């Protein structure tokens, strides 16, 4: 065995070899980490291609950087034996391929095992390069430099691959690259000049190193080109998606189809183990009212401004879509925590809360945002959009300016209700509402005096949904404002087609009164229909005024100022205080049907009916009894001095077409009565 003497390493020679070693090592590591993270996001068919490209590149880089590093370390002592180098090169390629194979096979479970295998590849390659150069190969003898270098290489490799696979930010990839470079470099730790046989010094063949340099440049150059082509086509795909999707000519935003395509793309490129993306849904509270009151130009301006403001605030990986009237979705990709999505949502709410100036009018809007996250159960675009929508409905139930995440457990329970709430939002646009009208008659002469408008929802799947089921939901979600405005408009238009003596009564919810612009909506309806304001009666319940009494009184006074009449609905069921009547001059009291149904038998009901009639007489307010189903009830009420009645005895709420027949019949009956000289019109269950 050759005698080894400690000799100084010839640092002064061929610094270029060190530069080349570091260069190959860095380039190979950078590309390998990039490819690795892409590889494990790729669909299975593309995975194999990435695996081979990245393994060949890293394997070759490990081998070449050791060839050059050792040449640098040993200086003229090292030699290069081209035929012997095939073995370390093959070992490098084989072991790195196996390591990457493990990572690709099960990225989550086996990333670190893959890292360990790559470390074995590095150490083996280094040792075989030494063998090929006829140098002495050390194995760890206890805890010596060689052991430290092996362990260090293993630890660095495991950390590098683990980070590459489990994180997705550019700086974590930079750290992974650095760790991999360190792992390759660290393998050379402990090599001494003494390990190289001095006898081979003369055999140094610079030409062979040049060949390695050329081949490696070709390998890395090709890989770099592949990397750029991949990046370019990714950018182009995203760009073409954007171009394809700019369809909304009003705002210039992408539409629903584009949103779906965008989400689909994200589900493919997002690595669920390391990153998430979020879908945020919101619509603009009060948009429809602004549209109705200030005109569609104001509405368009509002949408354009909102779209512009959001677009201006978007950063990389963020995109906004307008999918319908005032419905928007914003997608934020490449996030790592739920908090990233909620912080972003809060930022959007702030943007939306800024008032918008429309020809000297301040338009106030607000929103509530629902968020769904990927990964979480479903990877379908439709599901993620639906989940964000469900969360938004829950956000609206809570408050305006609320941010709510989709929660499968909570939302499953509420799904039915929320699904109904989602449908409710579309019901106006889809013209699923209609009004039915229930006749109101004078108790004394049974003359027709008007109709109460009662809203009906013809749901495309569920059929007729009772207002008792959806009005509370509409109130909770705030949608009652829009629905109520539609009801008033529609009822006024219907009344315009009736004889002028007939009134139309419309139910008004407390939520509608709570808004400032309710009188504007009423005025708008009256002007559009061109009816006498006195023909429009607004029915409110006590709940409509007990919340913010002063505000309610101000609104009711403005309504009376327009000339409308106000009726107190469902009287007897609430708190019913005399003070309310003293402080506000109602035009009518409607006794709840609960007291009419058992009027003949229940003395409590009789007491309440009589007290109400007495109150009406004292304060000079008309009293109408609801739920009159039998003639006997009508007679009792008439005898007691009740002014008006309404109920199945005269007619159930009926669609507009039937109202026309009803009107015709009552006209004929009135004429008949006049012809016979009778001054009492006997009108029965006409239709
Ligand atoms: P309401 O204002 O007390 O309306 C009267 C309800 O009693 C109507 O039920 C009507 O169909 C029913 N009814 C009328 N006469 C009789 C009768 O003789 N016997 C019986 N058993 N029932 C009778 P509907 O249409 O289901 O409406 C229920 C409630 O929904 C209404 O009670 C009202 O509070 C609310 N609602 C209906 N339309 C609207 C609307 O456009 N806006 C608002 N905010 N609420 C509405
Ligand atoms: Ca009513
Ligand atoms: Ca009522």
């Amino acid at each position: 065995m050759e005698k080894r003497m400690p000799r100084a390493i010839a640092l002064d020679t061929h610094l270029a070899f060190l530069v080349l070693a570091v260069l190959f090592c860095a380039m190979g590591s950078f590309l390998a980490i990039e490819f690795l993270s892409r590889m494990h996001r790729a669909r299975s068919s593309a995975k194999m291609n990435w695996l081979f490209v990245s393994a060949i590149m890293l394997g070759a880089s490990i081998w070449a950087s050791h060839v050059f590093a050792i040449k640098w370390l040993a200086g003229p002592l090292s030699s290069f034996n081209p035929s012997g180098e095939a073995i370390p090169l093959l070992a490098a390629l084989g072991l790195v391929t196996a390591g990457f194979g493990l990572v690709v096979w099960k990225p989550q479970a086996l990333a670190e095992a893959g890292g360990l295998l790559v470390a074995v590849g590095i150490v083996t390659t280094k040792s075989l390069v030494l063998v090929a150069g006829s140098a002495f190969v050390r194995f760890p003898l206890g805890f010596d430099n060689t052991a430290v270098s092996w362990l260090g290489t293993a630890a660095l490799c495991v950390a590098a691959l683990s980070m590459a696979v489990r994180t997705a930010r550019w700086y974590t990839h930079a750290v992974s690259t650095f760790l991999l470079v360190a792992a390759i470099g660290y393998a050379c730790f402990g090599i001494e000049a003494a390990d190289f046989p001095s006898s081979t010094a003369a055999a140094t063949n610079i030409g062979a190193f040049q060949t390695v340099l050329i081949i490696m440049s070709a390998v890395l150059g090709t890989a770099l080109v592949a990397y750029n082509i991949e990046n370019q086509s990714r950018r182009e795909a995203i760009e073409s998606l954007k171009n394809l999707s700019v369809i909304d000519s009003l705002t210039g935003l992408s539409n629903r189809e584009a949103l779906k395509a965008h989400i689909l793309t994200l589900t493919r490129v997002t690595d669920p183990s390391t990153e998430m993306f979020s879908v945020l849904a919101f619509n603009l509270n009060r948009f429809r009212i602004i549209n109705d009151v200030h005109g569609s130009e104001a509405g368009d301006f509002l949408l354009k401004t909102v779209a512009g403001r959001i677009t201006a605030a978007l950063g990389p990986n963020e995109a906004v879509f307008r999918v319908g009237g005032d419905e928007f979705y914003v997608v934020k990709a490449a996030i790592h925590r739920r908090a990233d999505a909620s912080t972003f949502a809060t930022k959007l709410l702030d943007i939306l809360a800024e008032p918008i100036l429309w020809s000297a009018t301040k338009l106030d809007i607000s929103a509530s945002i629902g968020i769904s996250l990927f990964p979480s159960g479903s990877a379908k675009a439709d599901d993620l959009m639906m989940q964000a929508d469900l969360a938004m409905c829950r956000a609206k139930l809570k408050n305006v300016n609320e941010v709510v995440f989709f929660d499968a457990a909570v939302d499953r329970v509420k799904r039915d209700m929320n699904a109904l709430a989602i449908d409710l939002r579309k019901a106006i646009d889809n013209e699923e509402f209609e009004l039915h009208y229930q006749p109101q008659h004078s108790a004394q002469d049974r003359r027709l005096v008007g109709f109460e408008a009662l809203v009906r929802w013809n749901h495309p799947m569920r059929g007729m949904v009772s207002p008792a089921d959806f009005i509370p939901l509409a109130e909770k979600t705030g949608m009652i404002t829009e629905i109520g405005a539609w009801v008033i408009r529609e009822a006024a238009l219907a009344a315009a087609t009736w004889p002028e003596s007939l009134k139309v009564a419309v139910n008004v919810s407390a939520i509608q009164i709570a808004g400032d612009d309710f009188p504007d909506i009423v005025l708008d309806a009256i002007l559009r229909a061109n009816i006498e304001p006195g023909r429009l009666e607004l029915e409110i319940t006590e709940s409509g005024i007990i919340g913010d009494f002063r505000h309610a009184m101000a609104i009711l006074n403005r309504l009376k100022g327009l000339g409308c009449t106000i009726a107190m609905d469902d009287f007897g069921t609430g708190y019913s205080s005399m003070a309310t009547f003293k402080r506000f001059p109602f035009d009518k009291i409607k006794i709840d049907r609960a007291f009419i149904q058992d009027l003949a038998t229940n003395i409590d009901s009789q007491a309440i009916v009589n007290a109400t009639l007495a109150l009406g007489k004292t304060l000079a307010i008309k009293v109408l009894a609801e739920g009159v189903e039998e003639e006997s009830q009508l007679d009792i009420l008439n005898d007691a001095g009740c002014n008006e009645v309404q109920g199945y005895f005269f007619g159930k709420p009926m669609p507009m077409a039937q109202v026309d027949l009803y009107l015709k019949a009552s006209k004929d009956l009135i004429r008949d009565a006049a012809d016979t000289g009778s001054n009492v019109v006997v009108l029965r269950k006409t239709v």
Side-chain angles (χ1 to χ4, degrees), residues 376-390:
S376 66
S378 178
K380 284 198 196 138
D382 279 335
D383 287 353
L384 286 161
M385 286 158 65
M386 195 260 294
Q387 291 173 355
D389 243 10
L390 286 175

Side-chain angles (χ1 to χ4, degrees), residues 452 507 539 541 569-571 590-593 626:
E452 176 180 0
N507 292 283
E539 297 191 1
T541 59
D569 201 359
D570 299 346
F571 187 73
K590 295 186 79 177
I591 309 177
D592 194 77
R593 68 166 185 270
E626 291 188 299

Side-chain angles (χ1 to χ4, degrees), residues 448-459:
L448 176 69
V449 294
F451 290 91
E452 176 180 0
L454 293 152
V455 67
R456 299 287 178 262
W457 180 14
N458 195 357
H459 190 285

Side-chain angles (χ1 to χ4, degrees), residues 493-543:
L493 288 171
T497 67
W498 303 337
E500 286 194 0
S501 59
L502 299 180
K503 295 184 67 162
V504 67
V506 174
N507 292 283
V508 177
S509 143
I511 315 286
Q512 289 169 274
I513 295 178
D516 278 332
D517 43 15
F518 183 62
D520 296 337
I521 292 169
V522 173
L523 179 61
D524 179 64
I526 290 170
L527 293 178
R528 274 186 206 223
N530 194 20
I531 57 165
E532 274 297 311
R535 292 180 63 200
L536 181 62
E537 183 153 85
L538 302 163
E539 297 191 1
I540 59 163
T541 59
E542 272 167 299
S543 64

